[in-house]
């Protein structure tokens, strides 16, 4: 959606038509609904306007402000929910994201650089840089400079964050996507890059064909099977079916990931809770679920790490023997999860009494 907002914004600048500004505001609103970091695109757009004497006239015209109002109106439900819930998602995506920051780290910066290079191909990044360098020097390439102006603030921001914190691969992706048109320009104007650009495609097609030939009907499998979440969810669903007919609820230990994945991939509806069932904060689960309603019931407790039975014993009358689930996909190494059955749940606050 950020990649769709950028060309709409550039077209609005070029054609000066209200409908393009309306479309820009609508797409910008959708982008922010999908991911809060899309707000960086708005900051970049403002910098593009401020950076050009010719474009500054838009700052005294109504169209950009109408586009911003449209985007903000689309975010009203998000603002209302956050006001009603102590700004939970805003805190999580801002202050709480930096709680695990460990100071300046060259390793984190290196991760940002090589992960983006692997996703978008080093050839695309290099060709995109060459195409950008050639286009911005041209006298009538204002759109190229504006497109670069929309992408670089996003890239620079996440590189700066990467100095102190591990940056997820997809976060700076909208900035790098804008290099694709520049790579296309380089490939279309230089025979060498046109030939080199075919290498990643040929390698990818060859890898897929080889995989299909050597593994037959086992491939292609869905990506989430490589992560083993679907295997885990099926196993946990089976454990939740108690012999006496009373279904067990599920506790996925962690802030949200284990419980969310189990709930998503389970073949049937499960009552899933995160570490909020053990008296700890668990992001959205603090607001979506009520562990106190499960008091007196049995549970399946699942973790990616070894279980701390002394802590769990504070919340249950009795614990079964801990066991492991080996979740493997064909041809993959798989993952090991730990679980235990807890009987007669006492509640999330029991450990504090």
């Amino acid at each position: 959606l950020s990649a769709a907002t950028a060309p709409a914004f550039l077209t609005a600048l070029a054609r000066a038509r209200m409908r393009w500004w309306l479309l820009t505001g609508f797409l910008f609103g959708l982008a922010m609904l999908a991911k809060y970091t899309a707000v960086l695109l708005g900051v970049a757009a403002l910098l593009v306007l401020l950076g050009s004497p010719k474009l500054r006239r838009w700052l005294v015209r109504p169209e950009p402000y109408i586009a911003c109002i449209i985007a903000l109106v689309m975010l009203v439900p998000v603002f209302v929910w956050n006001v009603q819930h102590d700004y939970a998602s805003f805190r999580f995506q801002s202050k709480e994201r930096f709680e695990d920051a460990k100071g300046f780290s060259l390793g984190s910066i290196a991760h940002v650089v090589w992960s983006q290079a692997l996703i978008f191909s080093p050839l695309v990044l290099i060709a995109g840089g060459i195409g950008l360098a050639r286009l911005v020097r041209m006298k009538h390439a204002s759109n190229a400079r504006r497109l670069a102006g929309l992408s670089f603030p996003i890239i620079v921001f996440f590189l700066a964050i990467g100095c102190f914190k591990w940056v997820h691969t997809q976060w700076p992706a909208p900035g790098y996507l804008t290099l694709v048109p520049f790579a296309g320009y380089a490939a279309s104007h230089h025979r060498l890059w046109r030939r080199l650009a075919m290498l990643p495609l040929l390698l990818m097609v060859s890898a897929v064909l080889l995989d299909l030939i050597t593994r037959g009907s086992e491939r292609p499998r869905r990506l989430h099977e490589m992560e083993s979440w679907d295997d885990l969810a099926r196993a946990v669903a089976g454990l939740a079916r108690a012999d006496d007919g009373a279904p067990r609820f599920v506790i996925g230990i962690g802030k949200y990931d284990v419980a969310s994945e189990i709930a998503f991939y389970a073949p049937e509806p499960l009552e899933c809770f995160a570490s909020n069932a053990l008296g700890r904060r668990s992001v959205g689960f603090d607001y979506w679920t009520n562990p106190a309603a499960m008091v007196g019931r049995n549970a399946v407790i699942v973790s990616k790490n070894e279980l701390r039975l002394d802590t769990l014993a504070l919340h249950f009358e009795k614990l079964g023997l801990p066991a492991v689930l080996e979740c493997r996909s064909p041809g993959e190494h798989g993952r090991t999860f730990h679980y235990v059955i807890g009987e007669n749940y006492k509640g999330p606050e029991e450990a504090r009494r």
Side-chain angles (χ1 to χ4, degrees):
L1 289 169
S2 295
T5 304
F9 172 70
L10 295 179
T11 305
L13 294 178
R15 299 192 179 183
R17 299 288 182 86
M18 175 61 80
R19 62 174 177 266
W20 284 103
W21 283 105
L22 297 178
L23 178 62
T24 299
F26 176 71
L27 291 174
F28 185 39
L30 287 179
M32 288 193 292
L33 284 173
K35 196 72 175 175
Y36 288 166
T37 50
V39 71
L40 294 173
L41 186 62
V43 175
L46 177 60
L47 294 177
V48 167
L49 296 179
L50 292 172
S52 169
K54 182 180 178 180
L55 297 180
R56 285 179 201 148
R57 62 186 177 88
W58 284 107
L59 296 176
V60 296
R61 294 185 58 170
E63 290 92 333
Y65 300 100
I66 292 174
C68 289
I69 291 172
I70 292 173
L72 290 174
V73 168
M74 295 175 68
L75 287 175
V76 165
V78 176
F79 286 117
V80 171
W81 187 90
N82 273 276
V83 169
Q84 294 174 343
H85 296 86
D86 194 28
Y87 303 96
S89 67
F90 290 160
R91 284 189 289 102
F92 176 70
Q93 296 293 352
S94 54
K95 177 184 175 181
E96 293 179 11
R97 283 291 191 184
F98 293 92
E99 288 180 349
D100 59 346
K102 299 179 180 179
F104 182 81
S105 171
L106 290 176
S108 295
I109 300 176
H111 168 262
V112 176
V113 174
W114 72 253
S115 62
Q116 298 305 305
L118 286 177
I119 286 181
F120 296 106
S121 165
L123 290 176
V124 172
L125 293 180
I126 295 172
I130 292 174
L132 172 62
R134 290 180 178 273
L135 280 170
V136 296
R137 290 200 301 266
M138 295 182 179
K139 185 177 181 181
H140 302 291
S142 57
N143 270 343
R145 287 189 287 272
R146 294 167 188 171
L147 183 59
L150 289 176
S151 61
F152 280 120
I154 299 173
I155 297 173
V156 170
F157 175 82
F158 283 110
L159 283 176
I161 296 296
C163 294
F164 307 95
K165 172 184 169 54
W166 194 264
V167 173
H168 285 269
T169 303
Q170 72 274 16
W171 289 355
Y176 287 98
L177 282 173
T178 56
L179 286 176
V180 175
F182 298 123
Y185 173 82
S188 63
H189 287 74
H190 301 277
R191 184 178 299 177
L192 173 62
W193 282 108
R194 188 160 54 247
R195 291 176 177 175
L196 289 176
M198 294 298 295
L199 287 177
L201 178 61
L202 292 175
L203 289 173
M204 182 176 66
V205 172
S206 300
V208 171
L209 290 176
L210 180 63
D211 195 52
L212 288 172
I213 292 171
T214 57
R215 305 199 185 200
S217 60
E218 291 182 353
R219 290 296 196 204
R221 295 287 299 273
R222 293 170 296 174
L223 180 60
H224 68 257
E225 288 188 330
M226 296 182 184
E227 296 295 330
S228 302
W229 289 117
D230 56 342
D231 297 330
L232 173 67
R234 285 196 295 268
V236 171
L239 292 169
R241 304 186 199 104
D243 294 336
D244 59 3
R248 302 181 176 110
F249 69 98
V250 178
I251 299 176
I253 295 181
K255 268 194 172 183
Y256 60 87
D257 56 339
V258 176
S260 297
E261 298 288 359
I262 292 174
F264 184 82
Y265 291 117
E268 58 198 59
L270 297 176
E271 296 173 290
C272 292
F273 299 81
S275 288
N276 61 322
L278 304 177
R280 299 195 290 270
R281 292 187 60 187
S282 301
V283 198
F285 282 89
D286 293 337
Y287 306 97
W288 305 329
T289 61
N290 180 22
M294 300 291 109
V295 171
R297 292 179 55 181
N298 300 338
V300 182
I301 305 114
V302 185
S303 175
K304 292 187 288 187
N305 305 309
E306 289 190 17
L307 296 162
R308 295 184 57 182
L309 299 181
D310 55 339
T311 300
L312 295 176
L314 298 173
H315 299 274
F316 292 89
E317 289 287 349
K318 181 181 178 182
L319 294 174
L321 294 175
V324 298
L325 289 170
E326 294 287 347
C327 299
R328 298 181 180 275
S329 297
E332 303 296 333
H333 294 296
R335 299 170 67 176
T336 298
F337 296 89
H338 301 261
Y339 79 93
V340 69
I341 303 297
E343 298 181 10
N344 195 8
Y345 176 59
K346 299 178 183 179
E349 302 298 326
E350 183 62 26
R352 301 178 185 177
R353 294 174 184 171

